[in-house]
Amino acid sequence: MTSQRSEEWKLLERMSCEFALRELRTGREERDAHPFAPLDLDLLRKGEELGFFSLLQEDGEEAPANLRALNLILENLSMEDAAFAGAVFTHSLSQMVILQAGRADVLDKLKAKAAEGGTAEGRLPLVAFPSFDAPGETARGLRAEKQDGNYLLTGKADFVVLGSMAAWALLPARTMGVEGFSFFLCPLGGEGVEAGPAVLSLGLRSCPGVDLVMKGAVSSLVGEPGEGARYYGSAADLLAVSAAAMSLGVMKGSLREALQYARQRVQGGREIINWSEVRMILSQMSLHCRTGEMLLAAVMQEMAEGKPGWEVSSRAAALQVQDMACQVVSDGVQLLGGNGYMRDYGQEKRFRDAHQLKVLMGHHPLRKLEFLRLAEDIDSH
Amino acid sequence: MAALDEPRSAAKSELEDAIVSLQALQRIPRAVLRETRQALEEAKRFNREVIRPRALELDMKMQEDPDYLPWDFVQEANRRGFYTMFIPRLFGGRGYNIPALSCVLEEMASACTAMANLVGVHYLGIDTLAASWNMRLMNKIMRDVAEGERVGQPRIVSLAITEPEAGTDVEEVELLSKAKVTCRVERVKGGRVINGRKIFISNGHLSTWHMLVGYEDLQRPEETTVMLAVKTGTKGFSFGRMEKKMGQRACPASELIFEDCFVPEENVCFDYGYMDRMVRWLGRPRRSVPEYTSQVIHYVLSTSRAGVAGFATGVARGAYEEALRFAVETEVGGKRLIDQEWARCLLAEMYKNVALARLSYVETNYANSLYGMFKVLQWKPMFYILKLTPRKMMDSVVAPFLNLGAVTWLFRKICLDGQKDEEMQRTSGWASLSKFAASDFGLRNCQLALDLMGRAGVLFDQGAEKHLRDCKLLQIYEGTNQLNRLNLFNCLIGRSLPGVRAFEE
Ligand SMILES: Cc1cc2nc3c(=O)[nH]c(=O)nc-3n(C[C@H](O)[C@H](O)[C@H](O)COP(=O)(O)OP(=O)(O)OC[C@H]3O[C@@H](n4cnc5c(N)ncnc54)[C@H](O)[C@@H]3O)c2cc1C
């Protein structure tokens, strides 16, 4: 890594902290009222200008370091508003799948197209993705048919994240005569794609998913036909740790707010932090946060060194941290008592976000079951 | 309170704590079972016809418009008699046995905890009123509720204790002495004047009567507690903000504001003056003033916490039912979930959580029936007199007697002074146990449902995520689960340990 690059990342990290505190903390409640309040696209544009969405733009030597920067940013953003981080993550996941398909050039083209204003009006230069589902499941609902060098997509894709605001979607679909599924890039906001209203969900409300109905939408194949599972598998290995980083950010945000509150709130004649049961809960939260940080650091280290089995570690970190986060955020609400349950404080949103983040990249128990298979594979090698 | 140097009595208490339901078997009237079944039938019909079809719609409406008040639901519950169902016939109600309330709340909460709360919180208010054994005021307010049912204008009751700076502190008398309370009640000619604010009051905006807890001397709240009934519309009393909550949205949490609000003496439910008199009249009184205050708080919470456990069991069950439906209908990883062993074990775990949550409130209600607030009502002769006396006779012959001060005195003597410390601790300890156990089970089940359902679990229209949002509150109100653990410790463990004092560390 060049020293100039390392300076850039440091800067980015600092910026993400400041951005989280300045831009994300304020207006969080209003943004979270989506779909009953409009999306704040300007905020996403700001994030884009700051470079949060283009960390994975290129493949190659810098990739592990870029990923490290992405994870730090996701963690910082999630401390204040995991929904914003959810947008960064989803776009990054799309990018990563495209990169794993060996098509860095596609990303360049999208960038160029956006620069020359070639996207549907009002849409951001982002790539939507059904990031809460295993793509194999989504592909069951979508069919791709080849026509004049392009593909036409038909069927339905549920809960495509960013589908209401992104200029493109990366969608898994099946093609006649091809085993498995393939990925297709489809422009949004034009003909052949109908986007439903934002689907109301537990958390991450300002990073909504929509159901897309594809009626012969012109799309282009990304990578080789039938290789979708392989591309997604490699992308998931790399970005599982990023999903963990988001859950970790939410946990740390929850701990920070709980600590602040416990130092100020007085009950029974003392600041509640001085009741040993409160301290015990805070300690438990802190322990989980520290364990999460250690897990992430270890995985990033293994990735950077290319240590055999890092993929399994990355997935393990995601499963573990997503689980811990649900416990931490619940305690985080609890320590604020009745106020923790109210939207005026950040804790209730973190509670909802962490539970939704647990499903990021698919069904948690199934990923656990799959984990054993992956771990066995690695062990047997 | 048993101490270690009295090993036999401590051991006896512990045995009694452990065999509450066995003791109750002999003493609970048989009609209770039939009546509970009837109450459940009504609740199930209400679920089918009103709650289930409207639960998600109302939750969505509240997200769109957080200031909406669900009057239509309250009207419907009123029309169906749910606000008088558990008011004794002596006071003009329908007179179902009170332990059945937890079962009814479970049933309703399995479909929507917020709507269950719109019914249940009214009984928190009624419980508070009843815990004072002020028979005259009970007669007045409960009959007003019954009249509201008759004329189709709901007149429900709320309870207002919590203040901005005192939440946990006002739930325990040991903490109350250190609480930063601000709701001041001043004695004036013909009544009291209230100044202060209460927050988070469930059903506040919807209630006609508010059982308000205030203090004459803010520096000595534990010695000067006053409980009053304030009617909506009273001069100097207004509603402030309605909280924006994560869940249980349909049930408003209101701010109540009192500015030189005059309440006539006849609406004073209970005050330290009474306790003071009790202490003096009884020569060798069982309790000091703060101890009587504590007893009244425990009396209320011992019954209301069983209700919260009912909500929690309901939400645990609701989450389980959603998960089961999903497992039967859905293929995940190429196979129906219900055909996968891990999913079956997870469902079994959820079933267990529901069953244990329910057992915990059943046991608490037995304790209340034998040693607590329901004791008089569940005593067989009283139970059958109240059931069998014709309503007309009850209203015209018995009811007027309730307005006599002597009747209140008698009931207080029997029910308050007659309750032993050990009995109070047993009911309160069990109530805390069921409150935190059931709400922890509830939350666990909601999380397990989300796990099982994957992405569908976090979608609003699938219902499971609402259970999770609704359930979290159950670990917070009626005393946080931490406070309830400490109360269990104080009531059932610490009492027999020498030198162990509540909230001292
Ligand atoms: C939606 C809602 C509805 C409600 N409805 C009503 C109602 O109808 N009527 C009413 O009067 N009140 C109501 N409440 C208030 C409720 O009972 C309180 O919120 C609850 O008792 C906790 O008090 P608090 O919010 O002030 O939290 P705090 O007391 O400030 O507690 C904050 C944290 O500190 C911990 N803590 C405090 N003291 C101690 C201690 N000594 N030892 C260990 N830990 C401690 C608590 O466990 C908690 O985790 C409602 C609250 C909510 C949120």
Side-chain angles (χ1 to χ4, degrees), chain A residues 67-308:
Chain A
L67 199 57
R68 187 185 286 259
L70 174 71
N71 293 343
L72 275 175
I73 287 169
L74 288 173
E75 187 185 315
N76 288 336
L77 298 175
S78 299
M79 282 178 80
E80 290 304 332
D81 186 359
F84 188 92
V88 175
F89 176 86
T90 297
H91 178 68
S92 304
L93 182 56
S94 302
Q95 286 177 314
M96 190 56 98
V97 173
I98 294 172
L99 289 175
Q100 296 308 307
R103 297 298 306 274
D105 61 307
V106 170
L107 296 180
D108 293 337
K109 277 186 203 145
L110 296 186
K111 207 173 169 185
K113 195 148 196 175
E116 69 201 27
T119 54
E121 209 184 312
R123 291 197 168 251
L124 302 175
L126 303 176
V127 185
F129 195 83
S131 42
F132 286 91
D133 290 277
E137 297 286 330
T138 309
R140 284 170 198 264
L142 284 176
R143 220 165 8 104
E145 235 174 281
K146 195 163 185 182
Q147 204 176 70
D148 306 331
N150 270 323
Y151 284 82
L152 301 185
L153 285 191
T154 31
K156 187 163 173 260
D158 288 339
F159 209 69
V160 179
V161 181
L162 302 182
S164 54
M165 59 179 110
W168 302 277
L170 185 67
L171 297 171
R174 296 192 173 270
T175 324
M176 193 89 109
V178 176
E179 218 174 288
F181 65 88
S182 323
F183 276 107
F184 296 89
L185 190 69
C186 171
L188 297 177
E191 272 178 27
V193 188
E194 276 173 20
V199 178
L200 190 56
S201 66
L202 174 62
L204 307 177
R205 295 226 171 119
S206 52
C207 172
V210 291
D211 296 343
L212 296 180
V213 178
M214 316 299 280
K215 296 181 170 171
V218 181
S219 312
S220 46
L221 176 70
V222 177
E224 296 298 317
E227 292 295 319
R230 190 164 60 81
Y231 303 149
Y232 181 77
S234 319
D237 286 342
L238 286 157
L239 286 197
V241 67
S242 311
M246 290 173 67
S247 292
L248 177 63
V250 177
M251 279 158 75
K252 287 171 72 174
S254 184
L255 173 64
R256 182 164 71 184
E257 189 158 347
L259 268 169
Q260 267 167 12
Y261 192 85
R263 288 192 189 110
Q264 285 163 11
R265 176 74 173 172
V266 174
Q267 289 294 284
R270 54 176 103 159
E271 288 80 20
I272 57 171
I273 197 167
N274 294 320
W275 288 107
S276 63
E277 172 62 3
V278 170
R279 291 191 79 78
M280 186 57 90
I281 297 171
L282 283 165
S283 302
Q284 189 63 37
M285 290 172 76
S286 172
L287 205 68
H288 280 317
C289 288
R290 194 79 191 116
T291 310
E293 281 175 348
M294 280 156 38
L295 271 177
L296 256 72
V299 175
M300 293 308 302
Q301 188 66 28
E302 285 186 21
M303 271 184 176
E305 290 170 3
K307 190 171 166 195

Side-chain angles (χ1 to χ4, degrees), chain B residues 64-275:
Chain B
E64 249 180 298
D65 174 10
D67 293 327
Y68 177 79
L69 287 169
W71 281 112
D72 52 343
F73 176 86
V74 176
Q75 284 282 2
E76 186 58 28
N78 191 51
R79 196 180 67 74
R80 292 178 183 238
F82 282 109
Y83 293 122
T84 56
M85 191 174 217
F86 299 99
I87 289 181
R89 290 177 76 240
L90 185 61
F91 303 114
R94 298 171 67 202
Y96 279 69
N97 71 85
I98 304 178
L101 171 62
S102 303
C103 307
V104 164
L105 296 180
E106 175 193 325
E107 189 56 39
M108 292 181 181
S110 71
C112 174
T113 318
M115 292 194 199
N117 224 17
L118 285 168
V119 173
V121 165
H122 163 70
Y123 288 104
L124 172 63
I126 295 282
D127 272 358
T128 310
L129 175 63
S132 70
W133 295 104
N134 183 330
M135 302 300 270
R136 187 188 43 74
L137 201 56
M138 282 160 82
N139 198 31
K140 173 177 165 175
I141 293 179
M142 293 191 201
R143 281 182 184 275
D144 193 43
V145 175
E147 177 63 10
E149 183 179 297
R150 198 183 64 76
V151 299
Q153 285 170 359
R155 294 180 194 161
I156 64 177
V157 187
S158 82
L159 165 63
I161 306 185
T162 306
E163 302 193 5
E165 297 303 321
T168 299
D169 281 358
V170 290
E171 302 258 340
E172 277 293 339
V173 96
E174 283 84 354
L175 297 171
L176 188 55
S177 58
K178 294 177 188 142
K180 288 200 266 178
V181 287
T182 54
C183 192
R184 176 140 193 266
V185 179
E186 200 184 334
R187 214 176 264 264
V188 294
K189 192 163 172 259
R192 315 289 162 105
V193 169
I194 315 163
N195 276 291
R197 236 160 31 98
K198 295 283 172 182
I199 56 163
F200 300 161
I201 307 310
S202 299
N203 285 358
H205 279 77
L206 296 166
S207 298
T208 303
W209 290 98
H210 308 272
M211 301 309 303
L212 176 79
V213 178
Y215 312 94
E216 261 189 39
D217 182 347
L218 300 181
Q219 305 308 316
R220 293 184 304 124
E222 77 289 4
E223 306 251 5
T224 62
T225 302
V226 188
M227 200 195 291
L228 317 99
V230 187
K231 200 168 183 179
T232 296
T234 305
K235 195 165 165 248
F237 166 40
S238 59
F239 295 114
R241 61 175 276 168
M242 244 164 79
E243 298 292 341
K244 288 192 219 150
K245 303 193 275 61
M246 169 163 71
Q248 295 204 22
R249 288 204 177 101
C251 175
S254 315
E255 181 185 22
L256 311 187
I257 302 168
F258 301 92
E259 289 162 317
D260 290 331
C261 172
F262 175 78
V263 173
E265 196 62 32
E266 64 178 57
N267 285 0
V268 176
C269 185
F270 196 79
D271 72 357
Y272 76 95
Y274 156 73
M275 294 181 257

